[in-house]
């Protein structure tokens, strides 16, 4: 018998607030029972569980998410995520359209935005 990953858990100081950012970023709803102030918040469709912990983030994540836009370009998605509260960390886009952009969510958890599938075909 084997195991399956049920959720990826992300520590944060405000589980609901960080989960709300990711809910908007991914276009996936928070679990119907989650409310502001809850110790945990779940985006079930994405398998992301946000857990409130007492300590703040202090070092770079050893694991991060790579996002691929589904209905817009990488550049459009980066702009959208910045308006949702993400922070630009590192821009690795190249002149030939390759590369990625490293961002952080409102609590500093790093993630990257890659090219969309349509951009990869060009």
């Amino acid at each position: 018998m084997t195991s399956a990953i049920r959720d990826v858990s992300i520590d944060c100081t405000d589980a609901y607030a960080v989960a709300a950012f990711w809910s908007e970023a991914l276009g996936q709803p928070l679990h119907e029972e989650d409310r502001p102030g809850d110790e945990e918040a779940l985006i079930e469709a994405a398998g992301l569980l946000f857990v409130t912990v007492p300590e703040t983030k202090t070092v770079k994540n050893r694991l991060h998410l790579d996002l691929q836009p589904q209905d817009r370009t990488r550049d459009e998605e980066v702009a959208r995520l910045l308006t949702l509260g993400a922070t630009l960390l590192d821009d690795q886009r190249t002149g030939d359209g390759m590369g990625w952009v490293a961002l952080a969510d409102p609590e500093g958890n790093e993630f990257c935005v890659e090219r969309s599938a349509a951009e990869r075909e060009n």
Side-chain angles (χ1 to χ4, degrees), residues 6-8 15 19 23 28-32 34 40-50:
R6 179 174 173 198
D7 297 309
V8 174
S23 174
Q28 298 290 334
L30 289 172
H31 191 276
E32 62 188 26
D34 290 337
E40 296 181 354
L42 176 65
I43 302 175
E44 196 165 19
L48 296 176
L49 176 63
F50 299 85

Side-chain angles (χ1 to χ4, degrees), residues 3-103:
S3 294
I5 295 173
R6 179 174 173 198
D7 297 309
V8 174
S9 296
I10 300 171
D11 290 351
C12 39
T13 59
D14 186 340
Y16 187 86
V18 177
F21 166 83
W22 282 102
S23 174
E24 288 293 318
L26 300 173
Q28 298 290 334
L30 289 172
H31 191 276
E32 62 188 26
E33 296 177 5
D34 290 337
R35 302 286 181 265
D38 286 353
E39 295 292 311
E40 296 181 354
L42 176 65
I43 302 175
E44 196 165 19
L48 296 176
L49 176 63
F50 299 85
V51 181
T52 298
V53 297
E55 62 274 0
T56 59
K57 183 176 179 306
T58 57
V59 298
K60 183 178 181 294
N61 295 7
R62 296 287 303 252
L63 174 78
H64 70 267
L65 304 176
D66 287 342
L67 304 183
Q68 183 181 45
Q70 300 299 299
D71 60 353
R72 59 185 57 99
T73 67
R74 175 193 53 214
D75 295 349
E76 291 168 336
E77 182 66 348
V78 168
R80 185 182 78 87
L81 293 166
L82 290 171
T83 64
L84 291 177
T87 303
L88 178 65
L89 297 178
D90 190 21
D91 191 336
Q92 292 293 320
R93 291 176 277 197
T94 61
D96 62 1
M98 304 291 280
W100 64 90
V101 179
L103 301 172

